[in-house]
Amino acid sequence: DGGITQSPKYLFRKEGQNVTLSCEQNLNHDAMYWYRQDPGQGLRLIYYSQIVNDFQKGDIAEGYSVSREKKESFPLTVTSAQKNPTAFYLCASNLRTQYTGELFFGEGSRLTVL
Amino acid sequence: RKEVEQDPGPFNVPEGATVAFNCTYSNSASQSFFWYRQDCRKEPKLLMSVYSSGNEDGRFTAQLNRASQYISLLIRDSKLSDSATYLCVVVSSNTGKLIFGQGTTLQVKP
């Protein structure tokens, strides 16, 4: 079955450590996105990529980095520069740009900083 | 003012009730609108698109009011399985980005 796979589902990190969240899709989608969700809040865009080897900052990119070396993969690194990294991270994809409105989400990665 | 605003609720309703949520948006040039459903601790999933003429899918009806800049979602004959958070999504006409509301939580009680 086609879909988006995020790993790990749960992650604990000590302050000062970088962590990388994996996102893989086999939907042959061009565009991929990373969102962050905090309790009681909507999703906020971190980074997005519309094509391999290219990506753009979203609204809250500071303290995060991404790469898009393959169409299927869009890993997110949460660096030690991110001041408040505890959150629910969601990866998504769609065929073209965000104009289509339908995003397909992975199951999410829940990061807790100890 | 937030670009997309929703009443967070929670809305507590009995089974069989009709419930409606509104979502206001600030950019009058916004062109596309959607409702997503998010179950507790799960990922969001597209519920329905919102068309200018309004649209219905079973017990769910979505409406757009451009003059007042809001969209609505009406759920008839509520089921226990409708309990979830409903996210309003507006596509920015300037950037093409999806802007998510904070969500409205619905709890349907037996």
Side-chain angles (χ1 to χ4, degrees):
Chain A
D1 286 337
I4 301 179
T5 303
Q6 286 187 240
S7 63
K9 204 165 185 178
Y10 299 95
L11 184 62
F12 297 89
R13 169 194 120 174
K14 293 182 180 178
E15 281 192 32
Q17 286 181 333
N18 292 354
V19 293
T20 296
L21 308 180
S22 169
C23 177
E24 303 279 330
Q25 55 98 358
N26 60 2
L27 299 167
N28 200 32
H29 284 171
D30 299 305
M32 297 185 74
Y33 313 84
W34 274 105
Y35 288 90
R36 169 184 173 138
Q37 187 175 34
D38 294 285
Q41 295 194 34
L43 280 66
R44 291 183 290 167
L45 183 62
I46 305 173
Y47 267 98
Y48 65 104
S49 167
Q50 297 179 352
I51 195 169
V52 174
N53 292 323
D54 188 45
F55 49 82
Q56 286 78 41
K57 292 182 179 180
D59 302 313
I60 54 164
E62 185 175 349
Y64 300 98
S65 66
V66 293
S67 63
R68 187 83 188 275
E69 297 176 2
K70 297 186 299 181
K71 188 176 184 178
E72 303 79 17
S73 178
F74 191 41
L76 173 75
T77 297
V78 184
T79 74
S80 56
Q82 168 51 233
K83 299 303 179 192
N84 187 20
T86 294
F88 186 42
Y89 290 88
L90 287 157
C91 180
S93 71
N94 66 2
L95 271 173
R96 293 186 292 276
T97 68
Q98 299 202 51
Y99 291 93
T100 65
E102 181 170 11
L103 291 177
F104 295 83
F105 285 90
E107 293 186 338
S109 294
R110 203 166 292 275
L111 172 63
T112 303
V113 173
L114 303 172
Chain B
R1 182 185 172 186
K2 292 181 181 178
E3 288 189 72
V4 179
E5 292 200 72
Q6 295 181 252
D7 180 347
F11 284 61
N12 295 301
V13 303
E15 269 189 292
T18 295
V19 62
F21 313 132
N22 280 348
C23 166
T24 59
Y25 59 94
S26 59
N27 188 343
S28 60
S30 298
Q31 294 295 320
S32 303
F33 310 89
F34 306 88
W35 284 102
Y36 276 71
R37 171 189 169 132
Q38 185 174 24
D39 292 307
C40 187
R41 302 177 75 83
K42 298 285 191 181
E43 74 277 19
K45 293 183 180 178
L46 180 66
L47 177 66
M48 58 198 305
S49 304
V50 186
Y51 303 123
S52 296
S53 55
N55 48 302
E56 189 173 308
D57 183 2
R59 297 182 293 108
F60 297 82
T61 300
Q63 298 269 349
L64 168 63
N65 185 319
R66 286 193 183 276
S68 300
Q69 292 182 211
Y70 74 86
I71 65 172
S72 64
L73 178 67
L74 180 79
I75 305 175
R76 290 181 297 278
D77 188 22
S78 299
K79 312 289 185 192
L80 295 176
S81 57
D82 293 334
S83 297
T85 296
Y86 292 85
L87 300 168
C88 166
V89 180
V90 175
V91 179
S92 168
S93 56
N94 299 329
T95 64
K97 294 181 185 176
L98 274 70
I99 312 296
F100 285 80
Q102 67 184 106
T104 297
T105 298
L106 171 66
Q107 288 281 355
V108 181
K109 307 287 188 181

